PDB file of all heavy atoms in Angstrom:
ATOM      1  N   ASN B 369      -4.502  -5.578 -26.624  1.00 97.00           N
ATOM      2  CA  ASN B 369      -4.540  -7.022 -26.156  1.00 97.00           C
ATOM      3  C   ASN B 369      -3.006  -7.417 -25.958  1.00 97.00           C
ATOM      4  O   ASN B 369      -2.071  -6.982 -26.597  1.00 97.00           O
ATOM      5  CB  ASN B 369      -5.155  -7.803 -27.325  1.00 97.00           C
ATOM      6  CG  ASN B 369      -6.560  -7.458 -27.479  1.00 97.00           C
ATOM      7  OD1 ASN B 369      -7.376  -7.601 -26.624  1.00 97.00           O
ATOM      8  ND2 ASN B 369      -6.941  -6.930 -28.703  1.00 97.00           N
ATOM      9  N   LEU B 370      -2.833  -8.401 -25.070  1.00 97.00           N
ATOM     10  CA  LEU B 370      -1.626  -8.894 -24.563  1.00 97.00           C
ATOM     11  C   LEU B 370      -1.622 -10.442 -24.572  1.00 97.00           C
ATOM     12  O   LEU B 370      -2.627 -11.034 -24.047  1.00 97.00           O
ATOM     13  CB  LEU B 370      -1.363  -8.355 -23.229  1.00 97.00           C
ATOM     14  CG  LEU B 370      -0.029  -8.528 -22.571  1.00 97.00           C
ATOM     15  CD1 LEU B 370       1.133  -7.924 -23.434  1.00 97.00           C
ATOM     16  CD2 LEU B 370      -0.032  -7.815 -21.240  1.00 97.00           C
ATOM     17  N   SER B 371      -0.663 -11.002 -25.166  1.00 97.00           N
ATOM     18  CA  SER B 371      -0.521 -12.462 -25.078  1.00 97.00           C
ATOM     19  C   SER B 371       0.871 -12.964 -24.900  1.00 97.00           C
ATOM     20  O   SER B 371       1.844 -12.439 -25.444  1.00 97.00           O
ATOM     21  CB  SER B 371      -1.058 -13.056 -26.433  1.00 97.00           C
ATOM     22  OG  SER B 371      -1.054 -14.397 -26.414  1.00 97.00           O
ATOM     23  N   MET B 372       1.008 -13.942 -24.019  1.00 97.00           N
ATOM     24  CA  MET B 372       2.338 -14.519 -23.691  1.00 97.00           C
ATOM     25  C   MET B 372       2.370 -15.987 -23.719  1.00 97.00           C
ATOM     26  O   MET B 372       1.551 -16.492 -22.958  1.00 97.00           O
ATOM     27  CB  MET B 372       2.701 -13.935 -22.276  1.00 97.00           C
ATOM     28  CG  MET B 372       4.185 -14.374 -21.856  1.00 97.00           C
ATOM     29  SD  MET B 372       4.497 -14.010 -20.102  1.00 97.00           S
ATOM     30  CE  MET B 372       4.220 -12.283 -20.060  1.00 97.00           C
ATOM     31  N   PRO B 373       3.234 -16.572 -24.582  1.00 97.00           N
ATOM     32  CA  PRO B 373       3.272 -18.027 -24.583  1.00 97.00           C
ATOM     33  C   PRO B 373       3.751 -18.653 -23.348  1.00 97.00           C
ATOM     34  O   PRO B 373       4.670 -18.090 -22.673  1.00 97.00           O
ATOM     35  CB  PRO B 373       4.207 -18.389 -25.809  1.00 97.00           C
ATOM     36  CG  PRO B 373       5.072 -17.193 -26.009  1.00 97.00           C
ATOM     37  CD  PRO B 373       4.165 -15.953 -25.536  1.00 97.00           C
ATOM     38  N   ILE B 374       3.143 -19.692 -22.923  1.00 97.00           N
ATOM     39  CA  ILE B 374       3.506 -20.426 -21.639  1.00 97.00           C
ATOM     40  C   ILE B 374       3.446 -21.889 -21.799  1.00 97.00           C
ATOM     41  O   ILE B 374       2.534 -22.399 -22.467  1.00 97.00           O
ATOM     42  CB  ILE B 374       2.584 -19.885 -20.548  1.00 97.00           C
ATOM     43  CG1 ILE B 374       3.189 -20.355 -19.100  1.00 97.00           C
ATOM     44  CG2 ILE B 374       1.144 -20.427 -20.701  1.00 97.00           C
ATOM     45  CD1 ILE B 374       4.101 -19.360 -18.699  1.00 97.00           C
ATOM     46  N   ASN B 375       4.356 -22.622 -21.238  1.00 97.00           N
ATOM     47  CA  ASN B 375       4.321 -24.064 -21.275  1.00 97.00           C
ATOM     48  C   ASN B 375       4.143 -24.532 -19.845  1.00 97.00           C
ATOM     49  O   ASN B 375       4.821 -24.095 -18.880  1.00 97.00           O
ATOM     50  CB  ASN B 375       5.700 -24.552 -21.772  1.00 97.00           C
ATOM     51  CG  ASN B 375       5.829 -24.326 -23.325  1.00 97.00           C
ATOM     52  OD1 ASN B 375       4.999 -24.787 -23.990  1.00 97.00           O
ATOM     53  ND2 ASN B 375       6.892 -23.619 -23.700  1.00 97.00           N
ATOM     54  N   VAL B 376       3.214 -25.490 -19.644  1.00 97.00           N
ATOM     55  CA  VAL B 376       2.899 -25.972 -18.367  1.00 97.00           C
ATOM     56  C   VAL B 376       3.543 -27.468 -18.242  1.00 97.00           C
ATOM     57  O   VAL B 376       3.438 -28.288 -19.130  1.00 97.00           O
ATOM     58  CB  VAL B 376       1.472 -26.181 -18.193  1.00 97.00           C
ATOM     59  CG1 VAL B 376       1.108 -26.746 -16.699  1.00 97.00           C
ATOM     60  CG2 VAL B 376       0.768 -24.789 -18.250  1.00 97.00           C
ATOM     61  N   TYR B 377       4.440 -27.676 -17.261  1.00 97.00           N
ATOM     62  CA  TYR B 377       5.134 -28.822 -16.971  1.00 97.00           C
ATOM     63  C   TYR B 377       4.687 -29.543 -15.812  1.00 97.00           C
ATOM     64  O   TYR B 377       4.157 -28.874 -14.784  1.00 97.00           O
ATOM     65  CB  TYR B 377       6.715 -28.506 -16.916  1.00 97.00           C
ATOM     66  CG  TYR B 377       7.346 -27.909 -18.101  1.00 97.00           C
ATOM     67  CD1 TYR B 377       7.391 -26.562 -18.299  1.00 97.00           C
ATOM     68  CD2 TYR B 377       7.883 -28.780 -19.013  1.00 97.00           C
ATOM     69  CE1 TYR B 377       8.022 -26.030 -19.420  1.00 97.00           C
ATOM     70  CE2 TYR B 377       8.614 -28.210 -20.146  1.00 97.00           C
ATOM     71  CZ  TYR B 377       8.523 -26.825 -20.380  1.00 97.00           C
ATOM     72  OH  TYR B 377       9.076 -26.383 -21.545  1.00 97.00           O
ATOM     73  N   PRO B 378       4.997 -30.873 -15.665  1.00 96.00           N
ATOM     74  CA  PRO B 378       4.863 -31.555 -14.351  1.00 96.00           C
ATOM     75  C   PRO B 378       6.117 -31.091 -13.454  1.00 96.00           C
ATOM     76  O   PRO B 378       7.208 -30.585 -14.066  1.00 96.00           O
ATOM     77  CB  PRO B 378       4.982 -33.030 -14.742  1.00 96.00           C
ATOM     78  CG  PRO B 378       5.776 -32.990 -15.983  1.00 96.00           C
ATOM     79  CD  PRO B 378       5.462 -31.823 -16.703  1.00 96.00           C
ATOM     80  N   GLY B 379       5.941 -31.017 -12.287  1.00 92.00           N
ATOM     81  CA  GLY B 379       6.957 -30.530 -11.423  1.00 92.00           C
ATOM     82  C   GLY B 379       6.728 -30.637  -9.920  1.00 92.00           C
ATOM     83  O   GLY B 379       5.669 -31.271  -9.605  1.00 92.00           O
ATOM     84  N   ILE B 380       7.590 -30.177  -9.076  1.00 95.00           N
ATOM     85  CA  ILE B 380       7.438 -30.282  -7.604  1.00 95.00           C
ATOM     86  C   ILE B 380       7.834 -29.005  -6.990  1.00 95.00           C
ATOM     87  O   ILE B 380       8.413 -28.095  -7.624  1.00 95.00           O
ATOM     88  CB  ILE B 380       8.293 -31.392  -7.012  1.00 95.00           C
ATOM     89  CG1 ILE B 380       9.840 -31.179  -7.351  1.00 95.00           C
ATOM     90  CG2 ILE B 380       7.892 -32.758  -7.546  1.00 95.00           C
ATOM     91  CD1 ILE B 380      10.749 -32.118  -6.778  1.00 95.00           C
ATOM     92  N   MET B 381       7.509 -28.838  -5.705  1.00 97.00           N
ATOM     93  CA  MET B 381       7.977 -27.694  -4.911  1.00 97.00           C
ATOM     94  C   MET B 381       9.409 -27.810  -4.650  1.00 97.00           C
ATOM     95  O   MET B 381       9.953 -28.880  -4.289  1.00 97.00           O
ATOM     96  CB  MET B 381       7.152 -27.603  -3.652  1.00 97.00           C
ATOM     97  CG  MET B 381       7.345 -26.378  -2.846  1.00 97.00           C
ATOM     98  SD  MET B 381       6.250 -26.240  -1.403  1.00 97.00           S
ATOM     99  CE  MET B 381       7.046 -27.426  -0.358  1.00 97.00           C
ATOM    100  N   VAL B 382      10.245 -26.676  -4.758  1.00 97.00           N
ATOM    101  CA  VAL B 382      11.644 -26.799  -4.439  1.00 97.00           C
ATOM    102  C   VAL B 382      12.039 -25.959  -3.249  1.00 97.00           C
ATOM    103  O   VAL B 382      13.126 -26.085  -2.666  1.00 97.00           O
ATOM    104  CB  VAL B 382      12.337 -26.321  -5.631  1.00 97.00           C
ATOM    105  CG1 VAL B 382      12.171 -27.174  -6.858  1.00 97.00           C
ATOM    106  CG2 VAL B 382      12.136 -24.835  -6.009  1.00 97.00           C
ATOM    107  N   ARG B 383      11.104 -25.039  -2.714  1.00 96.00           N
ATOM    108  CA  ARG B 383      11.500 -24.365  -1.399  1.00 96.00           C
ATOM    109  C   ARG B 383      10.151 -23.711  -0.946  1.00 96.00           C
ATOM    110  O   ARG B 383       9.056 -23.724  -1.596  1.00 96.00           O
ATOM    111  CB  ARG B 383      12.373 -23.166  -1.772  1.00 96.00           C
ATOM    112  CG  ARG B 383      11.866 -22.136  -2.710  1.00 96.00           C
ATOM    113  CD  ARG B 383      13.004 -21.214  -3.215  1.00 96.00           C
ATOM    114  NE  ARG B 383      12.470 -20.255  -4.151  1.00 96.00           N
ATOM    115  CZ  ARG B 383      11.951 -19.075  -3.950  1.00 96.00           C
ATOM    116  NH1 ARG B 383      11.860 -18.602  -2.699  1.00 96.00           N
ATOM    117  NH2 ARG B 383      11.587 -18.234  -4.939  1.00 96.00           N
ATOM    118  N   MET B 384      10.234 -23.217   0.364  1.00 96.00           N
ATOM    119  CA  MET B 384       8.988 -22.878   1.103  1.00 96.00           C
ATOM    120  C   MET B 384       9.496 -21.682   1.985  1.00 96.00           C
ATOM    121  O   MET B 384      10.468 -21.645   2.533  1.00 96.00           O
ATOM    122  CB  MET B 384       8.464 -23.952   1.865  1.00 96.00           C
ATOM    123  CG  MET B 384       7.249 -23.649   2.641  1.00 96.00           C
ATOM    124  SD  MET B 384       6.508 -25.105   3.443  1.00 96.00           S
ATOM    125  CE  MET B 384       7.796 -25.740   4.413  1.00 96.00           C
ATOM    126  N   ILE B 385       8.594 -20.649   1.936  1.00 96.00           N
ATOM    127  CA  ILE B 385       8.801 -19.483   2.799  1.00 96.00           C
ATOM    128  C   ILE B 385       7.552 -19.163   3.710  1.00 96.00           C
ATOM    129  O   ILE B 385       6.461 -19.588   3.418  1.00 96.00           O
ATOM    130  CB  ILE B 385       9.205 -18.212   1.979  1.00 96.00           C
ATOM    131  CG1 ILE B 385       8.002 -17.766   1.094  1.00 96.00           C
ATOM    132  CG2 ILE B 385      10.419 -18.502   1.132  1.00 96.00           C
ATOM    133  CD1 ILE B 385       8.230 -16.509   0.388  1.00 96.00           C
ATOM    134  N   VAL B 386       7.737 -18.344   4.766  1.00 97.00           N
ATOM    135  CA  VAL B 386       6.748 -17.891   5.614  1.00 97.00           C
ATOM    136  C   VAL B 386       6.352 -16.536   5.287  1.00 97.00           C
ATOM    137  O   VAL B 386       7.238 -15.665   5.000  1.00 97.00           O
ATOM    138  CB  VAL B 386       7.082 -17.963   7.088  1.00 97.00           C
ATOM    139  CG1 VAL B 386       5.920 -17.438   7.984  1.00 97.00           C
ATOM    140  CG2 VAL B 386       7.360 -19.457   7.513  1.00 97.00           C
TER     141      VAL B 386
END
Side-chain angles (χ1 to χ4, degrees):
N369 297 299
L370 189 58
S371 183
M372 185 189 302
I374 194 83
N375 289 303
V376 180
Y377 294 90
I380 59 174
M381 187 176 78
V382 297
R383 60 191 176 92
M384 182 171 56
I385 64 174
V386 176

